[in-house]
Amino acid sequence: MERLRQATFVVGYGPYVKQIRDLIRPGTRVLASKMGTEEMRTSAAIEAARGGENVALVCGGDPAIYAMASPVLEQGTDGIDVDIVPGVTASLAASAILGAPLGHDHVTLSLSDLHTSWENIEKRLFAAADGDFVVALYNPRSRTRLRHLPRAIEILGTRRSPDTPVAVVQQACRKRQKVITSTLAEFNPEWVDMNSLVVVGSSTTRFVTTGGGRPGSSRPATTPGCPPRRRSPPRRRSPPHDHPTRDRRPRHPRRAGEAVSRELADRVQALLPDRRVAIGFVELSSPSIPEALVDVLRHQEDPRAVVVP
């Protein structure tokens, strides 16, 4: 978070940049691009850094695991200070949600053949099967890569019993998180998309149950292994005014404004977790107002509450 606040230029894949918009300082340049433009993003980041800017190149999970750290270093960073901020890669997040499938020797493999030939990927799958490793499959399936995952399951199945546990974790630690547990014999690749990670057990992997009788692989996103989603604290309601004859029903033009005010309160509260934010009536001229207000609000004299008129 500190690195994002210090950045004068933020670069990243569009959906990832959207997730951290509220952490970016007002006035910061932002470059958000689509899938398949990784080389352009790294080039833009390096060029800006050489020009003296403080650049944050945003990616998902851990930047050094199937992410942007490697392409940046490969392009050449002579004369540039590069700090790689570690994160939680998908396999670790999924493992915490499922229980402990990676508690012993395991391998991670990407099924994307964009930078690695499918021939080499198959060799590695056979090696993982022969070594009896638990396997975490990244990039398992996309709209155009429909045959890779079934083939991977087929290869691993040559050295595994049909009842070997298999799990799919979608959107790990996010609002739409979903967990599916199955076996090699019953696994359906249609369950999987690009936001999924697939874990295939070894010959010693077993399903267990928790104290509540639930399978060990079906823990919700709020378990210790997955930090709770950030939520704004509840706002205190102001006491009603003593005006019995006043019509307090919102007039039509202000209904939308009051809804936006509540949204503004939530967004400002998330940016200032140590303050209590109370919102009166606010007219928004720009959706970036919460970010623009932050620097002003941080200098309010009252440390207990910030009131936005």
Side-chain angles (χ1 to χ4, degrees):
M1 186 178 299
E2 179 183 352
R3 299 302 176 86
L4 286 172
R5 284 291 183 190
Q6 295 171 347
T8 59
F9 184 34
V10 175
V11 188
Y13 175 47
Y16 297 156
V17 172
K18 183 178 180 180
Q19 293 175 26
I20 51 91
R21 279 274 184 183
D22 61 333
L23 303 177
I24 301 175
R25 292 186 306 169
T28 302
R29 288 202 304 134
V30 177
L31 173 61
S33 62
K34 61 183 181 179
M35 186 74 72
T37 60
E38 291 79 11
E39 186 174 348
M40 180 274 288
R41 290 201 297 269
T42 55
S43 297
I46 292 172
E47 181 180 355
R50 292 195 188 282
E53 293 202 58
N54 194 337
V55 182
L57 181 57
V58 179
C59 56
D62 185 285
I65 300 178
Y66 299 128
M68 300 303 296
S70 179
V72 167
L73 297 174
E74 286 176 356
Q75 282 200 25
T77 53
D78 291 342
I80 302 175
D81 292 332
V82 178
D83 293 327
I84 299 174
V85 181
V88 179
T89 187
S91 61
L92 299 184
S95 178
I97 294 165
L98 294 171
L102 307 184
H104 199 47
D105 295 338
H106 58 275
V107 300
T108 60
L109 286 172
S110 172
L111 296 188
S112 172
D113 55 1
L114 184 62
H115 301 292
T116 304
S117 70
W118 180 248
E119 180 182 4
N120 282 336
I121 294 173
E122 279 203 352
K123 289 180 181 179
R124 294 167 187 175
L125 285 166
F126 276 113
D130 289 337
D132 194 23
F133 291 104
V134 174
V135 181
L137 297 174
Y138 281 71
N139 305 312
R141 194 169 186 262
S142 71
R143 288 176 296 179
T144 58
R145 289 186 293 102
L146 302 178
R147 294 182 294 178
H148 294 24
L149 180 57
R151 176 57 177 157
I153 296 298
E154 178 185 355
I155 292 172
L156 295 173
T158 62
R159 299 292 188 275
R160 304 279 200 279
S161 66
D163 61 350
T164 298
V166 179
V168 179
V169 179
Q170 296 178 351
Q171 302 279 4
C173 297
R174 297 175 182 169
K175 292 182 179 180
R176 296 182 180 179
Q177 175 181 298
K178 182 178 180 181
V179 177
I180 302 173
T181 56
S182 184
T183 63
L184 274 177
E186 299 177 352
F187 178 76
N188 183 356
E190 296 292 331
W191 296 334
V192 180
D193 59 18
M194 272 297 290
N195 293 314
S196 304
L197 184 120
V198 179
V199 179
V200 181
S202 68
S203 62
T204 59
T205 303
R206 296 289 182 270
F207 285 120
V208 297
T209 56
T210 64
R214 297 175 306 187
S217 57
S218 61
R219 296 179 183 178
T222 52
T223 56
C226 224
R229 295 186 292 273
R230 183 177 61 190
R231 297 182 185 275
S232 300
R235 303 189 307 280
R236 297 179 183 175
R237 294 184 179 274
S238 301
H241 299 290
D242 296 328
H243 297 295
T245 60
R246 177 178 294 179
D247 183 3
R248 287 192 290 270
R249 292 177 299 173
R251 293 180 175 87
H252 179 70
R254 295 185 60 174
R255 291 179 183 173
E258 290 174 353
V260 173
S261 297
R262 290 191 295 271
E263 179 182 358
L264 174 61
D266 291 338
R267 294 175 64 185
V268 174
Q269 185 70 76
L271 293 167
L272 298 171
D274 57 329
R275 305 279 185 91
R276 182 175 66 84
V277 179
I279 295 291
F281 180 75
V282 177
E283 291 186 5
L284 288 179
S285 60
S286 168
S288 64
I289 279 184
E291 291 81 357
L293 287 173
V294 170
D295 292 337
V296 176
L297 298 179
R298 288 189 185 281
H299 295 88
Q300 292 286 329
E301 294 181 359
D302 182 2
R304 296 167 300 173
V306 176
V307 179
V308 182

